[in-house]
mmCIF file of all heavy atoms in Angstrom:
data_model
loop_
_atom_site.group_PDB
_atom_site.id
_atom_site.type_symbol
_atom_site.label_atom_id
_atom_site.label_comp_id
_atom_site.label_asym_id
_atom_site.label_seq_id
_atom_site.Cartn_x
_atom_site.Cartn_y
_atom_site.Cartn_z
ATOM 1 N N PHE A 253 40.911 11.910 1.970
ATOM 2 C CA PHE A 253 39.911 10.944 2.570
ATOM 3 C C PHE A 253 38.643 10.837 1.779
ATOM 4 O O PHE A 253 37.922 9.903 2.006
ATOM 5 C CB PHE A 253 39.647 11.348 4.009
ATOM 6 C CG PHE A 253 38.691 12.538 4.200
ATOM 7 C CD1 PHE A 253 37.308 12.306 4.227
ATOM 8 C CD2 PHE A 253 39.090 13.856 4.225
ATOM 9 C CE1 PHE A 253 36.392 13.296 4.348
ATOM 10 C CE2 PHE A 253 38.257 14.858 4.512
ATOM 11 C CZ PHE A 253 36.900 14.646 4.468
ATOM 12 N N LEU A 254 38.475 11.708 0.781
ATOM 13 C CA LEU A 254 37.302 11.528 -0.135
ATOM 14 C C LEU A 254 37.547 10.530 -1.265
ATOM 15 O O LEU A 254 36.731 10.324 -2.097
ATOM 16 C CB LEU A 254 36.897 12.902 -0.732
ATOM 17 C CG LEU A 254 36.496 13.963 0.303
ATOM 18 C CD1 LEU A 254 36.174 15.338 -0.414
ATOM 19 C CD2 LEU A 254 35.290 13.531 1.136
ATOM 20 N N CYS A 255 38.781 9.976 -1.208
ATOM 21 C CA CYS A 255 39.144 8.885 -2.159
ATOM 22 C C CYS A 255 39.065 9.319 -3.631
ATOM 23 O O CYS A 255 38.942 8.403 -4.533
ATOM 24 C CB CYS A 255 38.299 7.644 -1.955
ATOM 25 S SG CYS A 255 38.239 7.044 -0.245
ATOM 26 N N GLY A 256 39.075 10.589 -3.991
ATOM 27 C CA GLY A 256 39.129 11.032 -5.394
ATOM 28 C C GLY A 256 37.809 10.847 -6.030
ATOM 29 O O GLY A 256 37.710 10.907 -7.259
ATOM 30 N N LEU A 257 36.739 10.536 -5.297
ATOM 31 C CA LEU A 257 35.389 10.399 -5.923
ATOM 32 C C LEU A 257 34.803 11.722 -6.217
ATOM 33 O O LEU A 257 34.551 12.605 -5.384
ATOM 34 C CB LEU A 257 34.485 9.654 -4.974
ATOM 35 C CG LEU A 257 34.929 8.218 -4.558
ATOM 36 C CD1 LEU A 257 33.982 7.619 -3.555
ATOM 37 C CD2 LEU A 257 35.021 7.364 -5.770
ATOM 38 N N PRO A 258 34.496 12.004 -7.563
ATOM 39 C CA PRO A 258 34.067 13.316 -7.973
ATOM 40 C C PRO A 258 32.835 13.860 -7.288
ATOM 41 O O PRO A 258 32.730 15.004 -6.892
ATOM 42 C CB PRO A 258 33.783 13.163 -9.498
ATOM 43 C CG PRO A 258 34.691 12.029 -9.884
ATOM 44 C CD PRO A 258 34.694 11.110 -8.731
ATOM 45 N N PHE A 259 31.790 13.004 -7.002
ATOM 46 C CA PHE A 259 30.596 13.481 -6.358
ATOM 47 C C PHE A 259 30.757 13.863 -4.979
ATOM 48 O O PHE A 259 30.149 14.757 -4.446
ATOM 49 C CB PHE A 259 29.489 12.393 -6.515
ATOM 50 C CG PHE A 259 29.668 11.220 -5.668
ATOM 51 C CD1 PHE A 259 28.985 11.030 -4.387
ATOM 52 C CD2 PHE A 259 30.416 10.093 -6.025
ATOM 53 C CE1 PHE A 259 29.190 9.993 -3.591
ATOM 54 C CE2 PHE A 259 30.559 8.984 -5.265
ATOM 55 C CZ PHE A 259 29.892 8.926 -4.057
ATOM 56 N N LEU A 260 31.759 13.153 -4.239
ATOM 57 C CA LEU A 260 32.111 13.520 -2.922
ATOM 58 C C LEU A 260 32.864 14.860 -2.825
ATOM 59 O O LEU A 260 32.661 15.711 -1.985
ATOM 60 C CB LEU A 260 32.771 12.439 -2.213
ATOM 61 C CG LEU A 260 32.089 11.149 -1.841
ATOM 62 C CD1 LEU A 260 33.022 10.174 -1.113
ATOM 63 C CD2 LEU A 260 30.914 11.413 -0.914
ATOM 64 N N GLU A 261 33.779 15.034 -3.786
ATOM 65 C CA GLU A 261 34.580 16.243 -3.837
ATOM 66 C C GLU A 261 33.677 17.429 -4.134
ATOM 67 O O GLU A 261 33.845 18.588 -3.697
ATOM 68 C CB GLU A 261 35.687 16.070 -4.836
ATOM 69 C CG GLU A 261 36.725 15.063 -4.372
ATOM 70 C CD GLU A 261 37.814 14.840 -5.494
ATOM 71 O OE1 GLU A 261 37.586 15.127 -6.621
ATOM 72 O OE2 GLU A 261 38.858 14.328 -5.070
ATOM 73 N N GLN A 262 32.664 17.179 -5.049
ATOM 74 C CA GLN A 262 31.692 18.361 -5.361
ATOM 75 C C GLN A 262 30.814 18.656 -4.207
ATOM 76 O O GLN A 262 30.638 19.835 -3.894
ATOM 77 C CB GLN A 262 30.868 17.912 -6.555
ATOM 78 C CG GLN A 262 29.810 18.930 -7.025
ATOM 79 C CD GLN A 262 30.502 20.227 -7.484
ATOM 80 O OE1 GLN A 262 31.629 20.207 -8.029
ATOM 81 N NE2 GLN A 262 29.854 21.398 -7.383
ATOM 82 N N ARG A 263 30.437 17.662 -3.437
ATOM 83 C CA ARG A 263 29.707 17.924 -2.217
ATOM 84 C C ARG A 263 30.461 18.695 -1.228
ATOM 85 O O ARG A 263 29.950 19.582 -0.486
ATOM 86 C CB ARG A 263 29.124 16.674 -1.659
ATOM 87 C CG ARG A 263 28.116 16.757 -0.550
ATOM 88 C CD ARG A 263 26.983 17.669 -1.005
ATOM 89 N NE ARG A 263 26.265 17.040 -2.083
ATOM 90 C CZ ARG A 263 25.046 16.630 -2.049
ATOM 91 N NH1 ARG A 263 24.378 16.740 -0.910
ATOM 92 N NH2 ARG A 263 24.476 16.140 -3.141
ATOM 93 N N ALA A 264 31.726 18.309 -1.046
ATOM 94 C CA ALA A 264 32.645 19.045 -0.089
ATOM 95 C C ALA A 264 32.800 20.446 -0.466
ATOM 96 O O ALA A 264 32.783 21.379 0.391
ATOM 97 C CB ALA A 264 33.948 18.282 0.002
ATOM 98 N N LEU A 265 32.876 20.732 -1.808
ATOM 99 C CA LEU A 265 33.036 22.081 -2.244
ATOM 100 C C LEU A 265 31.803 22.911 -1.925
ATOM 101 O O LEU A 265 31.945 24.112 -1.519
ATOM 102 C CB LEU A 265 33.225 22.069 -3.781
ATOM 103 C CG LEU A 265 33.212 23.394 -4.583
ATOM 104 C CD1 LEU A 265 34.399 24.268 -4.188
ATOM 105 C CD2 LEU A 265 33.137 23.121 -6.042
ATOM 106 N N GLU A 266 30.675 22.293 -1.973
ATOM 107 C CA GLU A 266 29.387 23.040 -1.730
ATOM 108 C C GLU A 266 29.120 23.239 -0.239
ATOM 109 O O GLU A 266 28.386 24.138 0.092
ATOM 110 C CB GLU A 266 28.239 22.237 -2.405
ATOM 111 C CG GLU A 266 28.415 22.168 -3.926
ATOM 112 C CD GLU A 266 27.357 21.192 -4.548
ATOM 113 O OE1 GLU A 266 26.661 20.517 -3.730
ATOM 114 O OE2 GLU A 266 27.274 21.165 -5.782
ATOM 115 N N THR A 267 29.589 22.372 0.609
ATOM 116 C CA THR A 267 29.256 22.360 2.062
ATOM 117 C C THR A 267 30.404 22.753 2.984
ATOM 118 O O THR A 267 30.176 22.808 4.183
ATOM 119 C CB THR A 267 28.704 20.978 2.392
ATOM 120 O OG1 THR A 267 29.699 19.996 2.240
ATOM 121 C CG2 THR A 267 27.456 20.659 1.619
ATOM 122 N N ALA A 268 31.612 22.932 2.485
ATOM 123 C CA ALA A 268 32.732 23.225 3.328
ATOM 124 C C ALA A 268 32.517 24.403 4.291
ATOM 125 O O ALA A 268 32.848 24.385 5.463
ATOM 126 C CB ALA A 268 34.033 23.494 2.515
ATOM 127 N N HIS A 269 31.833 25.448 3.766
ATOM 128 C CA HIS A 269 31.599 26.669 4.562
ATOM 129 C C HIS A 269 30.580 26.416 5.713
ATOM 130 O O HIS A 269 30.647 27.098 6.725
ATOM 131 C CB HIS A 269 31.115 27.787 3.681
ATOM 132 C CG HIS A 269 29.745 27.583 3.059
ATOM 133 N ND1 HIS A 269 29.536 26.649 2.044
ATOM 134 C CD2 HIS A 269 28.525 28.031 3.453
ATOM 135 C CE1 HIS A 269 28.253 26.656 1.771
ATOM 136 N NE2 HIS A 269 27.581 27.439 2.578
ATOM 137 N N LEU A 270 29.807 25.369 5.542
ATOM 138 C CA LEU A 270 28.901 25.056 6.686
ATOM 139 C C LEU A 270 29.571 24.323 7.767
ATOM 140 O O LEU A 270 29.064 24.330 8.915
ATOM 141 C CB LEU A 270 27.732 24.174 6.088
ATOM 142 C CG LEU A 270 26.878 24.718 4.975
ATOM 143 C CD1 LEU A 270 25.905 23.720 4.447
ATOM 144 C CD2 LEU A 270 26.183 26.051 5.422
ATOM 145 N N ILE A 271 30.705 23.679 7.471
ATOM 146 C CA ILE A 271 31.426 22.877 8.484
ATOM 147 C C ILE A 271 32.520 23.755 9.095
ATOM 148 O O ILE A 271 32.641 23.704 10.306
ATOM 149 C CB ILE A 271 32.066 21.670 7.834
ATOM 150 C CG1 ILE A 271 30.877 20.833 7.168
ATOM 151 C CG2 ILE A 271 32.783 20.788 8.820
ATOM 152 C CD1 ILE A 271 31.381 19.657 6.385
ATOM 153 N N VAL A 272 33.328 24.429 8.325
ATOM 154 C CA VAL A 272 34.455 25.167 8.888
ATOM 155 C C VAL A 272 34.392 26.656 8.562
ATOM 156 O O VAL A 272 35.492 27.306 8.556
ATOM 157 C CB VAL A 272 35.817 24.517 8.383
ATOM 158 C CG1 VAL A 272 36.069 23.123 8.947
ATOM 159 C CG2 VAL A 272 35.882 24.508 6.834
ATOM 160 N N GLY A 273 33.261 27.140 8.301
ATOM 161 C CA GLY A 273 33.078 28.593 8.161
ATOM 162 C C GLY A 273 33.838 29.244 6.927
ATOM 163 O O GLY A 273 33.948 28.600 5.900
ATOM 164 N N ARG A 274 34.325 30.468 7.199
ATOM 165 C CA ARG A 274 35.006 31.199 6.095
ATOM 166 C C ARG A 274 36.241 30.488 5.709
ATOM 167 O O ARG A 274 36.732 30.593 4.576
ATOM 168 C CB ARG A 274 35.332 32.587 6.587
ATOM 169 C CG ARG A 274 34.147 33.460 6.834
ATOM 170 C CD ARG A 274 34.522 34.878 7.243
ATOM 171 N NE ARG A 274 35.227 35.633 6.117
ATOM 172 C CZ ARG A 274 36.484 35.955 6.175
ATOM 173 N NH1 ARG A 274 37.322 35.670 7.187
ATOM 174 N NH2 ARG A 274 36.963 36.619 5.165
ATOM 175 N N THR A 275 36.821 29.687 6.613
ATOM 176 C CA THR A 275 38.032 28.916 6.242
ATOM 177 C C THR A 275 37.713 27.913 5.146
ATOM 178 O O THR A 275 38.599 27.699 4.173
ATOM 179 C CB THR A 275 38.584 28.178 7.502
ATOM 180 O OG1 THR A 275 38.983 29.109 8.442
ATOM 181 C CG2 THR A 275 39.789 27.340 7.101
ATOM 182 N N GLY A 276 36.591 27.331 5.105
ATOM 183 C CA GLY A 276 36.147 26.471 4.084
ATOM 184 C C GLY A 276 36.019 27.158 2.744
ATOM 185 O O GLY A 276 36.462 26.617 1.672
ATOM 186 N N ASN A 277 35.539 28.367 2.735
ATOM 187 C CA ASN A 277 35.477 29.240 1.459
ATOM 188 C C ASN A 277 36.934 29.445 0.956
ATOM 189 O O ASN A 277 37.154 29.440 -0.250
ATOM 190 C CB ASN A 277 34.750 30.503 1.748
ATOM 191 C CG ASN A 277 33.318 30.376 2.011
ATOM 192 O OD1 ASN A 277 32.694 29.486 1.388
ATOM 193 N ND2 ASN A 277 32.688 31.247 2.733
ATOM 194 N N HIS A 278 37.821 29.821 1.831
ATOM 195 C CA HIS A 278 39.189 30.061 1.410
ATOM 196 C C HIS A 278 39.881 28.829 0.907
ATOM 197 O O HIS A 278 40.587 28.891 -0.211
ATOM 198 C CB HIS A 278 39.953 30.636 2.574
ATOM 199 C CG HIS A 278 39.533 32.087 2.930
ATOM 200 N ND1 HIS A 278 39.738 32.615 4.184
ATOM 201 C CD2 HIS A 278 38.883 33.033 2.194
ATOM 202 C CE1 HIS A 278 39.272 33.854 4.225
ATOM 203 N NE2 HIS A 278 38.716 34.102 3.026
ATOM 204 N N LEU A 279 39.710 27.652 1.534
ATOM 205 C CA LEU A 279 40.423 26.462 1.205
ATOM 206 C C LEU A 279 39.856 26.034 -0.184
ATOM 207 O O LEU A 279 40.548 25.354 -0.986
ATOM 208 C CB LEU A 279 40.229 25.402 2.224
ATOM 209 C CG LEU A 279 40.979 25.574 3.463
ATOM 210 C CD1 LEU A 279 40.745 24.519 4.468
ATOM 211 C CD2 LEU A 279 42.559 25.569 3.199
ATOM 212 N N PHE A 280 38.550 26.177 -0.436
ATOM 213 C CA PHE A 280 37.902 25.700 -1.732
ATOM 214 C C PHE A 280 37.854 26.850 -2.763
ATOM 215 O O PHE A 280 37.204 26.662 -3.802
ATOM 216 C CB PHE A 280 36.624 25.064 -1.473
ATOM 217 C CG PHE A 280 36.686 23.657 -0.899
ATOM 218 C CD1 PHE A 280 36.750 23.542 0.523
ATOM 219 C CD2 PHE A 280 36.683 22.534 -1.629
ATOM 220 C CE1 PHE A 280 36.855 22.226 1.102
ATOM 221 C CE2 PHE A 280 36.859 21.312 -1.127
ATOM 222 C CZ PHE A 280 36.899 21.101 0.266
#
Side-chain angles (χ1 to χ4, degrees):
F253 78 88
L254 298 180
C255 304
L257 299 176
F259 72 95
L260 290 180
E261 293 176 340
Q262 180 62 29
R263 187 57 61 113
L265 172 67
E266 298 169 354
T267 61
H269 67 285
L270 301 176
I271 302 174
V272 292
R274 293 182 69 246
T275 299
N277 287 331
H278 291 157
L279 289 175
F280 284 87

